[in-house]
Amino acid sequence: MISRIGQALCLFLFLPGFALKHAFPQTPKPADLSEFSRSVRALTQKVSPAVVQVLVSGYGPAAEPESQQISLLSRQRSSGSGVILDPDGYIITNAHVVRGAVNVRVLTTGMKTAGQDAPLDAKIVGIDRGTDLALIKVDRSGLPSLSFADSDTLNQGDVVLALGSPLGLKNSVSMGVVSAPARQIADDNPLAYIQTDASINPGNSGGALVNVSGQLIGINSFIFTQSGGSQGIGFAIPSNIVQTVYQQLRNHGHVHRGEIGATVQDITPPLASALALPRQTGVIVADVEPGGPSEVGGLRTRDIVLSLDGRRIDYERDFELTFFRRQKGDKVSVRVLRGGKELPQPIVIDVSEQEDDEDVLADSVKPENNLVPRLGILCIEI
């Protein structure tokens, strides 16, 4: 006797017009795979000319036995990657790629290592250690360049390509997906990185992470590894952060970051219980600087921040990251919950600038007045 399950299975398999192959995943047709391969190849050919190898030489402490109390300097060479953002020779890379550099050279895809096609000399325009980004420039025009994509639209599972010079192998490409679009690595670092499983190795730093349209979605920065090689956990700086830093480095040589004179913290269940808050998640204003922009705008301690410029704020890092892309004079619109009720109108706050002694000194430097060429130093009157 055939059971009911057996009868149902027989009916399922022999329904008119039903083919068994529809019950199982189909093997991709060779034509489909060929089309996919051609698409990846065309994308690579479009993007790779704008990704360069960065060659760096400088001096650093030589490796000495631990018992050695005197450290000697030795000449060191290293390489990384960079992305051309402007046809006139502006190239973005990681700050750690050019750290301690005495000479910086750039090798593009079409160049050879000898003869008239030798690497181009580059100068450092500016460095921002906070985001680990640096801008360099070569004296060449008409170069291929990449345009920026909006990294805020990135989603988990999006296909991406990573291009660069891993382990010194210039013009290499790997493919993967976005593992997470906004991954925070450390509590004291508000920057949220793009996590990807596209293979990234030492030397990929400063290279391009691009979307399927060939736009720059991030700058490859570092990997998590126990072996020193790629383990499928790579991180890139989002393009929206890169674009802001690039513009400021190009215009000022360093980065001016905004702030509104308020400190926030994440709401936790114990905190919500202790303060009798109306919600157990989100962001609460912990402190407001007296006379600062937030106090002037009307923000108060214990206000719960719902959104900034219409963008929902769930965590402290979301709040802080907003000001990586704000400059003095900008305005932000803040919706808050006060006393358990949402204010009918958003609070508008003028963005001020974080005070940084180094930036103040940098702004006061005028090479024509402060440079002492014979000594190779800048002297600033205090």
Side-chain angles (χ1 to χ4, degrees), residues 316-334:
E316 175 187 355
R317 68 172 182 268
D318 297 332
F319 182 91
E320 295 180 354
L321 186 59
T322 300
F323 299 103
F324 265 83
R325 294 150 56 181
R326 299 290 181 176
Q327 301 180 42
K328 183 177 180 179
D330 291 346
K331 296 182 182 295
V332 292
S333 176
V334 187

Side-chain angles (χ1 to χ4, degrees), residues 33 83 90 112 119 150 197 245 252 304 324 342:
L33 294 176
V83 181
Y90 286 95
K112 300 177 181 179
D150 182 0
D197 71 341
V245 173
H252 310 296
I304 296 176
F324 265 83
E342 182 178 348

Side-chain angles (χ1 to χ4, degrees), residues 142-222:
L143 296 174
S145 61
L146 294 186
S147 60
F148 286 102
D150 182 0
S151 55
D152 287 343
T153 64
L154 203 59
N155 291 297
Q156 190 175 42
D158 285 350
V159 175
V160 290
L161 297 183
L163 296 98
S165 303
L167 305 175
L169 302 173
K170 66 185 181 73
N171 192 26
S172 296
V173 61
S174 60
M175 184 175 67
V177 299
V178 173
S179 304
R183 181 76 74 192
Q184 188 181 25
I185 304 304
D187 292 338
D188 59 350
N189 182 1
L191 190 60
Y193 296 88
I194 300 168
Q195 180 185 337
T196 178
D197 71 341
S199 183
I200 295 175
N201 283 282
N204 269 117
S205 294
L209 190 72
V210 300
N211 60 17
V212 293
S213 299
Q215 296 174 307
L216 184 68
I217 201 72
I219 293 294
N220 302 322
S221 186
F222 64 96

Side-chain angles (χ1 to χ4, degrees), residues 34-53:
S34 296
E35 179 61 30
F36 174 75
S37 179
R38 284 192 294 270
S39 297
V40 174
R41 182 168 63 246
L43 178 59
T44 303
Q45 293 172 347
K46 172 185 176 182
V47 172
S48 61
V51 182
V52 303
Q53 185 177 22

